[in-house]
Structure formats: structure tokens, C-alpha cells
Amino acid sequence: PWWKRPATVATASAAAVLLAVGATTWLLAGDTTVPPADTSPPTTPPVATTLAPELTATTGTAPGTTTATPPTTVVDPPQPHFEATGWQLVTPPIELGGASAAVFEGTVASDAGLVATGSTGVWTSPDGIEWIQVGDEWDPVGLGVGVDILDLAANGDLVAAVIYNGWDAVAGVAISTDAEAWTFTPLAELSEGEQPAAPLSITAYGTDGFLIAGGAVWKTDDGVAFDLVHEGTNSDFWSSATGGRTAVVGTSEGELLVTRDGETWEQPPRLAGVLGDGEPCPWVSLEALAHGPAGFVAVGACGRHGTAWTSPDGFVWSQVPLDETAFGDLAWLHALVATEQGYVAGGHSGPEGAPRAPTVWTSSDGLAWTRTVLDESVIEDGGVLGVAIHLDTLVAVGWVDDEAAIWTADVVIR
């Protein structure tokens, strides 16, 4: 979505963001150029109750990274069927302020309600239906013009945002209890020349803490003090998820790091997969991770087709067998959220040559997915870039035909 940013954003901010998100922007833009073939062997359908006793770490392991040796884990089968019904468009009136396009890039649910962010600033809602803009759209967290919010997470009443501040050439984490007053902690100064490791994604960890991943991995137990817990690899970690004390972070190419305690990290094999015809994926894109009733789930793409992977423990991963109904069209899955009942993914899908339509996928177990197209009348394109669940309301945010969009649905357990 960053290519839709207003032209007045500082050149330094735009250049840095375009470099950081080049792969994702290529995918959204519909470029048909295919990267070199992924030679990783295809995975097999998931077996939830049996794990290999030992895994061998991939080559090129970063310092401090060890061989993954997970214990045998048995995952209870998921319970009731999880689905979303009654989708409706509830986008509030938005003033573009001179921008040519608008988009919501992410949303998260805290104890106090929902927060959505994007090119239109920061918005809050108690129920997902009524939304109020807070703060200045050009200065969303009080750090000045040229600030981008790259990712959001919530833990209790705390909302945390990964911030890239192109104006001051610094990146870090901003934390708030009301999405209006923010406390910013810088983690990397982005001066010219060699760039240090910078944060890109964030997820809740522990009672009041967060895990932040990017060029390295940081951890905070209170939102105040941040500790570097892994120096990173040669790639940036764009996604993360936690289940108890176990956490997984992943690069856009499917490289993973896993920890059981937030301190010691292990590197399982890279995600791999096959297309519907059994051929290996020409390339793998990992977009989002979450932990729910069936363990860890990852979503992204195998070539230009959407796909998902599941893992009971974060170490052993299997690609979900292709379901033509859910993933038969060209698709891109960007966002993922989990509750005690199931998983919701968001992105876009559509037949070859057709406009990309905003789409959500729901699943009780991470294996069987139901696809719902939110707007099939798109003229140019549209997509879902963030999903969240608050109480019994599911919220999806993104854009349709250059206009920011928010949809809601009722969560139903059958």
C-alpha cells in the first residue's frame, strides 16, 4: 500500500520504505515476473499428532542460533466450526487532505477497542462500526511529518506500533493506551551508508510485553525497556506470532526462527510447498503468522497462488493441500488473526486478468479454508491488509478502487 502514499511524504521516507517493501509491492502491483525457482523439496500434508524427534537447522545459521530439537507434541482437534457472516462496508467519511488515494494498512484489537492505521492516520472504534479519527493524519503518533506505521500489535490495554520516521531517520516502537498519546522508543538510527537492523513487525508476548522483529529481534516485558535477543540473519523478519512462551518470526522468503523462552533461538527448515500440479513452488512468500486453537499457522503465496502452512509447535511445518475452491484463483494472503475458535486471513483474489477483489478466508483448524470475496464489483482493484477480532465482531481493513475501506462481520460458532 505504500505506493499510494501522498506525494508530500518526505523523499527519504519514501525511498527507505520502497526499498524495504520491494517484494510485497511487486506482488501487489501484479508484476508477472517470476523469481528464480525455489529448489526446496515439497512438503507433505500435515500430521498433527506426530513430530520428528529431531530437525537439522538450515545452513548459514546466524550466530547464537542452534539446531531445532522440539519435543513431541500432541494437538487436540479443534472444536466448533468457526465462520464469519453478514459482511458489510462501514467505512467512515474520510477527507483525503490532498492525497490522491487512501488506504487502511492495519488494524488491531485491544481491551479498549479497535485501532486502524494507514494513509488516513489513526482511527479508533469501540465496536468496529463507528470509527473516529484521532490525532493528525500527517503526524499519527506525534513524531512529525514523514512517519509510517509498519505494523500493529495489542497486549491487554496496550497498543504498540512499529514506526519508521523518515524525517528524523529513526525507527522504533510507539506504545499507547488510547491511540492518542504515544511513547516512542527508538531502536535504530537510519543514517546514510550502511543501515543497521531495524524493526518491521511486532506481536504480543507475555503478560504485558511485545516481541519486535526486523533486521534483528527485540523483546520487552513492560513496553519500556527493550532488549536485543537475536542479532538477526541476512534477511529481514516481516512477520511474527507467539503462543505462550513459544514465538516464531519469519522472513518474506519463509526463513524461520523459533524460541521457547524469548532468549534462545533455533532455526527450523525454511517453508516450502508445491503447486496444484505437484510441481515445487517457483517461489514462496510468507506474509503473516498467528497462533490459535490448532497451533501456529502461516499464510502467503506459492508462486502467485495463495496458500497456508500449519505447525503444532512452530518447528515442524506442512503446507495445506490445495483446495481449488479456496485457493484456486490467483491470490495473495497478507494478514492473519487467530482467536480461541479459529483463524481469519485477508488479502485479495481473482481469476487471471480480472481486477483483484478484497477477500477474507476463515478456518477452524488452519487446514480447511472458506473464501469470501467482499466486493466483486471492483473496477481497478482492492484488497484486505489487516484483520482483527473484538468481542464477536470481525473487522477487515484495506482499500477498494483507491478508497480506504473497512468491513465488519459477525463471528459465528456452530
Side-chain angles (χ1 to χ4, degrees):
W2 292 270
W3 75 92
K4 295 178 180 287
R5 295 285 294 172
T8 56
V9 172
T11 302
S13 174
V17 172
L18 286 173
L19 287 172
V21 301
T24 300
T25 303
W26 171 85
L27 192 53
L28 281 173
D31 192 330
T32 57
T33 303
V34 178
D38 187 340
T39 58
S40 303
T43 59
T44 57
V47 179
T49 58
T50 303
L51 300 181
E54 183 173 344
L55 296 175
T56 300
T58 55
T59 59
T61 301
T65 302
T66 61
T67 301
T69 55
T72 301
T73 303
V74 176
V75 176
D76 294 332
Q79 298 303 312
H81 179 64
F82 170 82
E83 63 182 62
T85 63
W87 284 100
Q88 58 179 325
L89 188 65
V90 297
T91 314
I94 296 174
E95 296 292 335
L96 293 182
S100 60
V103 61
F104 282 110
E105 298 170 1
T107 184
V108 70
S110 71
D111 289 348
L114 292 142
V115 178
T117 62
S119 63
T120 60
V122 178
W123 295 70
T124 61
S125 173
D127 56 9
I129 305 297
E130 300 293 333
W131 291 84
I132 300 173
Q133 187 176 15
V134 295
D136 186 339
E137 66 179 285
W138 301 108
D139 185 13
V141 296
L143 294 178
V145 177
V147 169
D148 280 292
I149 297 178
L150 303 182
D151 197 18
L152 287 171
N155 197 344
D157 63 348
L158 296 180
V159 175
V162 173
I163 301 296
Y164 168 73
N165 184 350
W167 188 263
D168 294 326
V170 65
V173 176
I175 294 181
S176 175
T177 57
D178 59 7
E180 294 188 55
W182 298 81
T183 300
F184 178 70
T185 301
L187 296 180
E189 293 184 3
L190 307 176
S191 58
E192 294 184 4
E194 184 178 355
Q195 297 299 310
L200 298 170
S201 68
I202 189 167
T203 188
Y205 190 70
T207 304
D208 299 305
F210 296 93
L211 197 70
I212 304 99
V217 184
W218 297 262
K219 180 171 69 74
T220 177
D221 293 323
D222 54 12
V224 177
F226 292 78
D227 297 318
L228 180 67
V229 294
H230 196 285
E231 294 183 354
T233 64
N234 292 325
S235 301
D236 290 330
F237 294 100
W238 277 93
S239 55
S240 52
T242 58
R245 299 300 295 177
T246 298
V248 181
V249 299
T251 72
S252 59
E253 295 84 16
E255 179 184 355
L256 302 172
L257 286 178
V258 186
T259 182
R260 297 188 186 95
D261 56 12
E263 303 293 339
T264 303
W265 294 82
E266 304 174 59
Q267 188 170 18
R270 183 188 300 264
L271 292 181
V274 295
L275 296 168
D277 57 6
E279 291 294 318
C281 298
W283 50 274
V284 164
S285 173
L286 169 59
E287 297 291 335
L289 290 156
H291 183 272
F296 288 94
V297 170
V299 297
C302 171
R304 297 181 64 199
H305 290 270
T307 193
W309 296 264
T310 62
S311 172
D313 60 357
F315 292 89
V316 178
W317 290 84
S318 297
Q319 184 189 22
V320 173
L322 177 67
D323 179 345
E324 289 288 344
T325 302
F327 300 116
D329 289 330
L330 302 183
W332 171 63
L333 281 70
H334 174 81
L336 183 66
V337 67
T339 70
E340 294 179 355
Q341 291 79 29
Y343 306 83
V344 181
H348 63 67
S349 67
E352 182 79 47
R356 300 168 295 178
T359 307
V360 296
W361 291 260
T362 56
S363 175
S364 297
D365 57 7
L367 300 175
W369 293 84
T370 300
R371 180 177 60 172
T372 302
V373 177
L374 301 184
D375 190 344
E376 295 185 283
S377 64
V378 291
I379 297 174
E380 295 180 8
D381 61 26
V384 173
L385 299 177
V387 286
I389 295 178
H390 181 59
L391 302 177
D392 293 326
T393 299
L394 172 61
V395 173
V397 304
W399 87 101
V400 174
D401 293 335
D402 287 339
E403 295 184 1
I406 300 177
W407 301 265
T408 65
D410 297 323
V411 174
V412 178
I413 308 300
R414 302 188 187 281

